[in-house]
Amino acid sequence: MLDIKVIREQPAYVKQQLARFDVAGAIVDQVLGYDERRRTLLREVEDLKALRNSVSKEISQLKDASARETRIREMREVGDRISLLDKEVAQVEQDQQAAMLEIRNLPHPDVPDGADDTANPVIYQEGEERQLDFGAKPHWELVEALGIVNFEQGVKLAGSRFYVMRGLGARLQRATIQWLLDLHLRQGYEEVYTPFVVKEAALWAAGQLPKFRDNLYRDEESGLWLVPTAEVPITSLYADEILEASRLPIYHVAYTPCFRKEQLSAGRDVRGMKRGHQFDKVEMYMFTFPDQSYTALEKLRSNAEECCRLLGLPFRTKILCTGDIGFGAAKTYDIEVWAPGQGEWLEVSSCSNVEAFQARRANLRYRPEPGAKPEYLHTLNGSGLGLPRTIIAIMENYQQEDGSIVVPEVLRPYMGGCEVIK
């Protein structure tokens, strides 16, 4: 959520920045309209309360019973008017809040303009688009031949875009998750294990609602929602709290399965494991001082890149343009790994600084020094890494001509010493 002071004081600037996303400025005018109406109502309420207080003193001094009764009756009417105005103020505030929640975050100056992901510039790359001499197979052919992923059983159990991992395929998935968590612990993160379902308030705080409502799974009876990413529960770990400055920065890492309806990608990437309704992800998350958040973003990016480097995967880093950056992000890096079997780059990490956007929604503040007024802190999130695309890249890069898959060296201790899946 944006700072209402910025909208009040710089409406033209806010509209100009929103226009970079093809967002009309009418929503800004709507918020300002509610804001002006609210302040007008509050002034009237304050005037009426001042009148009531003044007349109350006058009534206590009146000797004439008739005059006193008349003034009391008038003040009852004033009281009724105050009650009506209070309700109207509450409604206007609710309407203003709803409009504020519809406004996306504003971009950092580094964010380039562009219509879609084809306009995301590559700013760093390690490794080439590897071409295997024997002709690389896509992962769906590899896993079916090895018997380590069964797509038909996934459909049998849950429908399209589900699959069952078996044997060394399941172990490779588990090993990768464990290795990633251990790596991030060495990088300075504290692991948290959160619920895989959350209250609706957590989704509003993280900026998933209202925009992505149709892409989320919800249990109607309990009102709980399946998490689309660990970013959601971690954002609200300290919601409505005031953290002392001595506790910052806070770095967390968490593993969760993630659940998304994928309605936003209908018809895309339907083969194999690339885009499912359920997938695993290890998530890095940071709570930082505002003046340190962009330094923290570079750490987040570096930590995600290190995952790819140690796995021996060719990777590249992009900065997202206005046509591709997320709703809550001010600046985002995407890290992609090369998959030779499919002949394409796959996004395995998205590292974003959302500044105070989520903190305002979650009422997440810190106290700069003892006795100081609380301020909103900055939050950042990044995949470290997202599966199954990391698994896809491992399989396709480490495949051999006989159809076997070499296990990356860093994962072998987590695979019971297994060096080759065959």
Side-chain angles (χ1 to χ4, degrees):
M1 192 160 60
L2 297 183
D3 187 345
I4 185 60
K5 292 181 181 178
V6 174
I7 296 177
R8 285 174 186 153
E9 297 170 6
Q10 304 179 64
Y13 169 75
V14 174
K15 289 181 181 180
Q16 179 189 51
Q17 294 303 304
L18 291 177
R20 296 177 61 190
F21 302 101
D22 290 328
V23 174
I27 187 70
V28 175
D29 294 330
Q30 187 178 11
V31 167
L32 291 174
Y34 287 132
D35 199 48
E36 181 58 34
R37 177 60 179 161
R38 172 180 170 276
R39 286 189 285 179
T40 298
L41 291 170
L42 287 175
R43 282 194 295 268
E44 185 176 353
V45 169
E46 290 170 2
D47 290 344
L48 288 174
K49 287 181 178 179
L51 173 64
R52 184 171 60 181
N53 291 337
S54 174
V55 173
S56 294
K57 294 178 182 178
E58 176 189 329
I59 289 173
S60 65
Q61 298 173 358
L62 285 175
K63 304 298 184 182
D64 186 285
S66 176
R68 186 166 58 250
E69 182 60 33
T70 298
R71 295 299 269 166
I72 291 173
R73 186 168 56 252
E74 290 172 351
M75 288 308 100
R76 287 199 191 103
E77 293 175 357
V78 169
D80 291 342
R81 176 62 180 163
I82 290 173
S83 295
L84 288 173
L85 289 173
D86 284 341
K87 291 179 181 178
E88 192 171 349
V89 168
Q91 183 61 55
V92 170
E93 288 178 343
Q94 182 178 328
D95 292 341
Q96 183 182 26
Q97 179 80 351
M100 290 279 290
L101 291 171
E102 295 282 352
I103 301 177
R104 61 154 300 121
N105 205 355
L106 303 183
H108 185 271
D110 289 350
V111 174
D113 289 326
D116 53 37
D117 59 0
T118 61
N120 296 333
V122 175
I123 59 173
Y124 182 75
Q125 181 168 331
E126 276 189 32
E128 302 300 321
E129 298 179 6
R130 184 180 298 159
Q131 304 299 325
L132 304 184
D133 295 338
F134 51 83
K137 295 180 180 178
H139 70 279
W140 55 83
E141 293 183 14
L142 290 168
V143 298
E144 288 188 318
L146 291 169
I148 58 175
V149 178
N150 191 307
F151 296 104
E152 291 182 0
Q153 287 182 335
V155 173
K156 177 182 179 180
L157 292 174
S160 63
R161 299 206 185 194
F162 288 94
Y163 50 86
V164 174
M165 304 190 79
R166 304 174 64 94
L168 289 177
R171 190 164 188 178
L172 179 64
Q173 177 96 344
R174 177 163 53 90
T176 304
I177 293 168
Q178 184 65 60
W179 174 76
L180 288 168
L181 288 170
D182 287 350
L183 173 61
H184 293 315
L185 294 182
R186 295 194 296 271
Q187 292 171 337
Y189 296 81
E190 179 191 17
E191 184 177 355
V192 291
Y193 182 80
T194 66
F196 299 162
V197 294
V198 292
K199 298 176 182 178
E200 184 170 312
L203 289 155
W204 284 98
Q208 295 286 322
L209 292 178
K211 184 174 177 62
F212 302 111
R213 181 180 293 275
D214 293 340
N215 209 37
L216 304 173
Y217 286 99
R218 178 176 185 265
D219 175 53
E220 295 292 339
E221 183 177 353
S222 67
L224 296 175
W225 301 65
L226 296 177
V227 298
T229 165
E231 172 193 344
V232 171
I234 296 177
T235 297
S236 288
L237 281 179
Y238 310 105
D240 299 316
E241 295 184 24
I242 300 174
L243 303 177
E244 295 303 321
S246 59
R247 294 187 63 184
L248 297 178
I250 298 173
Y251 300 158
H252 283 315
V253 63
Y255 154 75
T256 64
C258 305
F259 303 91
R260 301 178 190 176
K261 293 181 180 179
E262 290 294 350
Q263 292 180 349
L264 303 178
S265 61
R268 294 174 55 194
D269 308 319
V270 294
R271 293 203 68 180
M273 302 160 53
K274 183 176 174 183
R275 194 181 294 274
H277 296 299
Q278 173 187 325
F279 60 95
D280 289 330
K281 182 153 68 84
V282 174
E283 184 80 0
M284 301 175 288
Y285 199 98
M286 297 177 166
F287 301 86
T288 74
F289 296 107
D291 62 352
Q292 297 178 11
S293 65
Y294 280 96
T295 300
L297 179 60
E298 296 308 313
K299 171 179 168 56
L300 197 66
R301 167 193 162 183
S302 175
N303 293 159
E305 290 176 341
E306 184 70 4
C307 300
C308 304
R309 182 178 298 115
L310 293 176
L311 285 170
L313 301 174
F315 70 90
R316 67 184 187 183
T317 302
K318 293 181 172 182
I319 183 170
L320 298 195
C321 69
T322 54
D324 198 31
I325 194 171
F327 178 78
K331 181 180 179 180
T332 298
Y333 294 118
D334 267 9
I335 299 168
E336 302 174 334
V337 292
W338 176 248
Q342 295 174 231
E344 64 176 319
W345 293 93
L346 303 178
E347 177 214 321
V348 292
S349 180
S350 190
C351 299
S352 300
N353 185 356
V354 301
E355 298 184 353
F357 192 79
Q358 291 175 331
R360 287 194 185 89
R361 289 169 170 249
N363 191 28
L364 179 54
R365 297 174 292 168
Y366 77 102
R367 199 182 304 279
E369 56 187 34
K373 181 180 179 181
E375 298 178 11
Y376 290 111
L377 46 72
H378 281 193
T379 62
L380 303 90
N381 61 83
S383 316
L385 300 169
L387 295 87
R389 294 180 185 185
T390 301
I391 299 297
I392 291 172
I394 291 172
M395 291 174 172
E396 294 192 4
N397 279 281
Y398 283 91
Q399 64 178 294
Q400 301 186 99
E401 190 170 3
D402 63 359
S404 62
I405 300 170
V406 175
V407 176
E409 191 171 341
V410 293
L411 298 182
R412 292 174 189 175
Y414 297 87
M415 292 282 290
C418 174
E419 297 183 3
V420 181
I421 298 173
K422 57 185 177 182

